[in-house]
């Protein structure tokens, strides 16, 4: 059973995350790579409204709890993104998304998505202020669902060998030099990517952020 909830319109930004630091002097137990993209603990000029990155699952949960919110479950993220129409993309069927198959070896073929750049970042490697892609909004008014930052969900799994989280939405970075990377660029709303849990420092990277939800009741 899924209870009613509200989801943030945008991913949490650098400026929003900075508030918890000033209000609570928040400092993670494991500080490795924490807010690595900031300079001397300060947001780089002009990036205040960029999605916050270089945060761990624990960092995101701390922010959400402080804000009176929480991280969405994978199912909640996916339902809010797809809506009851179960769209593959935030904009529904308004724009056709095609695939280009790239043969790496005789046993490996990588599928690259071809998306209209007016609807989302297609993987140019440049992060941007939230809300930039107006045409990419979904029917519930949610922006930056795909091609922005991989978005953390609150589901932690144990497959008997590793612990991992689930991140959704793809990212602004589409690696082209190697197929060993996690697939980037915008990804279908149904696409699930695992993020291994080794340490908070390992977890933090420049392509993972988050958005929050709050229960409606």
């Amino acid at each position: 059973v899924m209870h009613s909830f509200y989801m943030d319109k945008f991913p949490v930004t650098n400026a929003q995350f900075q508030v918890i630091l000033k209000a609570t002097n928040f400092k993670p137990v494991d500080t490795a790579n924490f807010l690595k993209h900031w300079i001397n603990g300060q947001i780089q000029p002009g990036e205040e409204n960029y999605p916050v990155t270089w945060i761990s699952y624990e960092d995101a949960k701390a922010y959400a709890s402080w804000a009176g919110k929480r991280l969405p479950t994978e199912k909640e993220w996916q339902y809010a993104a797809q809506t009851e129409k179960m769209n593959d993309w935030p904009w529904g069927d308004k724009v056709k998304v095609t695939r280009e198959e790239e043969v790496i070896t005789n046993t490996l073929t990588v599928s690259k998505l071809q998306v209209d750049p007016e609807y989302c970042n297609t993987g140019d490697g440049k992060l941007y202020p939230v809300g930039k892609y107006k045409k990419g909004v979904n029917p519930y008014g949610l922006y930056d669902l795909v091609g922005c930052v991989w978005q953390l969900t609150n589901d932690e799994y144990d497959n008997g060998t590793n612990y991992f989280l689930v991140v959704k939405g793809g990212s602004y970075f589409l690696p082209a030099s190697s197929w060993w990377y996690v697939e980037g660029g915008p990804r279908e709303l149904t696409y699930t990517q695992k993020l291994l849990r080794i340490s908070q420092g390992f977890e933090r990277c420049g392509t993972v952020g988050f958005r929050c939800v709050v229960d409606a009741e």
Side-chain angles (χ1 to χ4, degrees):
V1 177
M2 188 183 296
H3 298 286
S4 299
F5 62 92
Y6 298 101
M7 178 174 274
D8 285 350
K9 196 172 187 178
F10 309 109
V12 173
T13 65
N14 286 314
Q16 289 174 317
F17 198 86
Q18 187 180 52
V19 176
I20 187 178
L21 303 185
K22 292 182 176 179
T24 69
N25 293 317
F26 171 75
K27 183 176 286 187
V29 175
D30 177 354
T31 60
N33 292 324
F34 180 59
L35 300 176
K36 185 178 177 180
H37 59 313
W38 293 17
I39 299 176
N40 297 321
Q42 298 298 317
I43 302 167
Q44 294 192 49
E47 295 187 1
E48 291 81 3
N49 287 324
Y50 283 33
V52 67
T53 55
W54 296 100
I55 46 85
S56 69
Y57 177 55
E58 284 79 10
D59 302 333
K61 287 202 300 182
Y63 173 88
S65 177
W66 172 81
K69 302 178 182 182
R70 60 180 175 81
L71 295 181
T73 65
E74 181 186 356
K75 287 182 179 179
E76 286 174 333
W77 191 98
Q78 197 161 318
Y79 178 81
Q82 289 188 277
T83 76
E84 73 281 358
K85 294 182 179 179
M86 303 301 288
N87 295 323
D88 285 335
W89 296 93
W91 47 83
D93 58 2
K94 289 188 292 186
V95 179
K96 187 177 180 181
V97 177
T98 58
R99 293 178 183 275
E100 178 184 316
E101 302 293 334
E102 180 182 354
V103 177
I104 306 297
T105 69
N106 58 3
T107 58
L108 177 67
T109 299
V110 175
S111 177
K112 292 187 177 181
L113 299 168
Q114 308 296 310
V115 186
D116 188 328
E118 289 191 6
Y119 285 78
C120 68
N121 186 303
T122 58
D124 65 8
K126 299 175 182 177
L127 196 50
Y128 57 88
V130 296
K132 175 181 176 180
Y133 293 90
K134 308 299 183 188
K135 290 185 177 181
V137 65
N138 88 338
Y140 288 164
L142 304 178
Y143 289 80
D144 306 306
L145 288 166
V146 299
C148 181
V149 286
W150 287 106
Q151 292 164 40
L152 287 164
T153 65
N154 200 40
D155 296 332
E156 186 175 13
Y157 297 95
D158 176 6
N159 64 6
T161 304
N162 304 107
Y163 288 96
F164 61 90
L165 304 169
V166 166
V167 290
K168 306 287 289 183
S171 78
Y172 65 93
F173 176 64
L174 179 61
S177 60
S178 170
W179 52 266
W180 290 103
Y181 288 97
V182 169
E183 287 194 59
R187 301 303 308 183
E188 303 94 328
L189 298 172
T190 54
Y191 185 85
T192 295
Q193 176 63 51
K194 296 176 182 177
L195 178 64
L196 285 179
R197 301 224 71 196
I198 296 175
S199 70
Q200 289 193 51
F202 177 86
E203 219 166 86
R204 298 182 180 113
C205 66
T207 57
V208 174
F210 68 103
R211 69 174 80 215
C212 300
V213 298
V214 63
D215 294 315
E217 300 171 0

